[in-house]
């Protein structure tokens, strides 16, 4: 077992708190989205885009951790600002309304957050298409192209945590039923037999059959975009936390985690796409790596044997250490940036005119969320499978 360096987790959390404080002071009404690693200046979005919920998510974590009304008030304010997105037709709203809003209920018993999260969950459940057997990306989905009601992606598993939370909050089984169907179908469509994951698919609207696989943000349709692998792992783990009896999901989660661990470079931080021919002279994706860190720590609690639990717990700890030692500022002598920026994320490597958010070596608000969540798990504030 890796020794649990608790003070190290605490110190990293304190570094991230410096950055959260600085971000709080710098923002007006728009949500942090990504920042250039060199400057730390946030690019913001008016309504939060798919990423914005990560920001109140970090504030809820600090509210719970510190008990300070400063973070609680800020979390409530930023959470409420997501309200205009509650009825958008996008599978990705599950991300914002789970981490940005439902976490207010889970971590801080906030009633307004619970009400808003349930409103979004009700709308999200209504996006389920029984012919396709899943929630399609939706006409308002935030990708560069090819979205709508015939398209799916592994990223759309972002719908799953909000729906399972809503099922537990209300006792209405229909939320969990849609979450389970969506999980099964999206994993089956996008996971290859070797445990690697392709990002995107087009479906025949008449019968749900897969027309083609492709990628919105990866290198190619036959490559492994690091965040495709990461999203598949973390949401398979969340789904299993709610339905531990689903053997197929567990087999897929273990296959996907083992694929990651046997392909990630020795330093444990992934390149943006595992098949970029320029490797090692290409960009890392610390956001993908932080998402996988969260998934490994969950698997460290959920895997079916003590040996497997120890294996994935150790891998999660080592991944967190790789991120905080190599990519969480300060990362070198003479550092002038704020402490606690997780740099080295690749939001989008593609640079053609239709692509949004083409930026590499960035700090992303969602990558930072998953590292902060993982550190709070390692530090013992929250249990990995409860979030
Ligand atoms: N669409 C989610 C992502 O860019 O990771």
């Amino acid at each position: 077992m890796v020794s649990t360096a608790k003070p190290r987790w605490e110190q990293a959390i304190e570094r991230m708190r410096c950055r959260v404080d600085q971000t709080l002071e710098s923002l007006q009404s728009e949500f942090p989205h990504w920042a250039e690693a060199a400057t730390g200046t946030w690019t913001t979005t008016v309504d939060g885009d798919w990423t914005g919920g990560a920001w109140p998510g970090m504030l809820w974590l600090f509210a719970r951790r510190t008990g300070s009304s400063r973070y609680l008030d800020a979390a409530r304010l930023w959470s409420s600002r997501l309200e205009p997105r509650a009825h958008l037709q996008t599978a990705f709203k599950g991300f914002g309304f789970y981490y940005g809003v439902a976490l207010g209920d889970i971590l801080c018993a906030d009633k307004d957050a619970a009400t808003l999260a349930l409103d979004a969950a009700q709308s999200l459940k209504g996006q389920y298409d029984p012919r396709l057997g899943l929630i399609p990306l939706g006409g308002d989905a935030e990708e560069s192209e090819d979205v709508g009601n015939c398209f799916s992606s592994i990223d759309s598993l972002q719908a799953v945590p909000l729906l399972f939370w809503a099922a537990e909050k209300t006792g209405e089984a229909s939320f969990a039923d849609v979450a389970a169907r969506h999980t099964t179908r999206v994993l089956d469509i996008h996971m290859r037999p070797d445990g690697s994951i392709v990002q995107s698919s087009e479906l025949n609207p008449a019968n749900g059959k897969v027309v083609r696989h492709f990628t919105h943000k990866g290198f190619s349709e036959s490559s492994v975009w690091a965040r495709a692998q990461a999203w598949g792992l973390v949401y398979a783990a969340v789904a299993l936390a709610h339905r531990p009896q689903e053997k197929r999901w567990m087999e897929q989660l273990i296959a996907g985690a083992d694929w990651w661990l046997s392909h990630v470079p020795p330093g444990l931080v992934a390149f943006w796409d595992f098949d970029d021919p320029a490797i090692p002279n290409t960009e890392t994706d610390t956001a993908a790596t932080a998402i996988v860190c969260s998934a490994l720590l969950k698997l460290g609690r959920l895997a079916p044997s003590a040996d497997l639990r120890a294996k994935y717990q150790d891998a999660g700890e080592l991944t967190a250490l790789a991120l905080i030692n190599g990519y969480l500022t300060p990362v070198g002598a003479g550092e002038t940036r704020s402490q606690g920026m997780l740099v080295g994320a690749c939001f989008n490597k593609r640079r053609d005119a239709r692509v949004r958010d083409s930026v590499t070596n960035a700090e992303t608000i969602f990558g930072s969320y998953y590292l902060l969540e993982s550190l709070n798990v390692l530090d013992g504030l929250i249990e990995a499978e409860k979030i």
Side-chain angles (χ1 to χ4, degrees):
M1 289 280 288
V2 172
S3 69
T4 311
K6 192 164 194 276
R8 196 176 294 183
W9 311 135
E10 274 175 12
Q11 284 162 13
I13 291 168
E14 279 308 298
R15 278 150 72 186
M16 296 193 82
R17 191 151 77 95
C18 292
R19 179 59 168 160
V20 163
D21 288 348
Q22 188 197 52
T23 300
L24 253 183
E25 274 167 29
S26 74
L27 294 176
Q28 296 189 343
S29 62
E30 296 195 2
F31 286 80
H33 193 43
W34 54 263
E36 298 271 5
T39 63
T41 305
W42 285 108
T43 289
T44 55
T45 64
V46 174
D47 74 344
D49 203 277
W50 73 263
T51 60
W55 170 234
M58 295 178 81
L59 295 169
W60 291 122
L61 283 168
F62 276 118
R64 169 70 179 267
R65 185 174 182 84
T66 62
S68 158
S69 59
R70 168 176 155 72
Y71 296 113
L72 186 60
D73 291 348
R76 285 183 171 144
L77 175 67
W78 284 97
S79 173
S80 70
R81 285 180 171 158
L82 288 168
E83 192 270 334
R85 297 182 54 80
H87 293 256
L88 289 184
Q89 294 298 291
T90 164
F92 305 142
K93 74 186 176 199
F95 179 89
F97 284 92
Y98 180 70
Y99 294 109
V101 189
L103 235 56
D105 173 60
I106 295 165
L107 295 176
C108 301
D110 191 84
K111 289 194 169 41
D112 289 344
T115 303
L116 177 55
L118 281 177
D119 185 33
Q122 193 70 43
S123 166
L124 184 59
K125 187 178 73 170
Q127 290 174 233
Y128 179 75
D129 182 338
R131 285 168 314 163
L132 304 181
L134 50 69
I135 296 171
L137 299 186
D140 298 321
E142 304 86 351
E143 289 288 0
S144 52
E145 54 189 298
D146 294 338
V147 297
N149 293 327
C150 305
F151 289 90
S152 181
S153 73
I154 195 76
D155 321 25
S156 77
L157 287 180
Q158 289 180 343
V160 167
L162 182 69
L163 293 170
F164 273 124
W165 166 81
E168 283 179 9
K169 191 74 191 162
T170 61
E172 278 181 44
S174 59
F175 286 108
D177 189 43
V178 168
R181 286 170 192 267
H182 184 70
T183 302
T184 297
R185 182 97 169 104
V186 172
L187 282 175
D188 283 352
I189 289 175
H190 298 97
M191 184 172 269
R192 304 183 181 110
D194 68 351
S196 72
I197 294 174
V198 59
Q199 184 188 6
S200 312
S201 57
E202 180 177 358
L203 308 173
N204 181 331
N207 57 21
K209 288 205 170 124
V210 177
V211 175
R212 65 178 172 123
H213 285 111
F214 68 105
T215 180
H216 284 95
K217 291 186 175 171
F219 180 77
S220 76
E221 72 277 5
S222 59
S223 75
V224 183
W225 178 51
R227 283 218 298 287
Q229 197 72 20
W231 292 129
L233 297 189
V234 78
Y235 295 125
V238 170
L240 273 159
H242 292 275
R243 291 216 172 161
Q245 72 277 16
E246 295 282 356
K247 286 201 169 57
R248 182 162 171 74
W249 297 351
M250 182 59 81
E251 285 163 13
Q252 289 169 315
L253 175 55
I254 286 177
D258 287 348
W259 190 94
W260 179 279
L261 293 174
S262 62
H263 289 79
V264 75
L268 296 183
V269 174
F271 291 107
W272 74 282
D273 190 298
F274 284 85
D275 297 291
D276 181 348
I279 287 173
N281 300 311
T282 192
E283 289 84 359
T284 54
D285 189 358
T286 54
T289 307
I291 297 164
V292 169
C293 184
S294 165
L296 290 169
L297 293 174
K298 292 180 201 311
L299 191 49
R301 297 294 289 258
L302 298 166
S305 73
D307 282 354
L308 286 175
R309 288 193 290 278
K311 167 182 163 176
Y312 296 116
Q313 178 70 26
D314 283 0
E317 290 190 23
L318 290 169
T319 302
L321 279 176
L323 289 171
I324 62 179
N325 289 341
Y327 296 88
L328 189 69
T329 57
V331 290
E335 179 73 77
T336 54
R337 297 172 291 191
S338 166
Q339 290 193 45
M341 293 171 59
L342 178 63
V343 297
C346 175
F347 201 128
N348 200 337
K349 167 97 167 149
R350 290 187 171 196
R351 293 197 188 271
D352 67 73
R354 293 168 304 177
V355 169
R356 296 162 15 132
D357 297 316
S358 292
V359 62
T360 56
N361 191 16
E363 174 189 24
T364 62
I365 197 66
F366 58 97
S368 297
Y369 168 82
Y370 282 104
L371 178 60
L372 184 63
E373 179 199 287
S374 299
L375 293 173
N376 277 289
V377 166
L378 289 165
D379 191 48
L381 181 79
I382 41 181
E383 292 178 76
E385 73 279 24
K386 299 273 168 64
I387 194 164

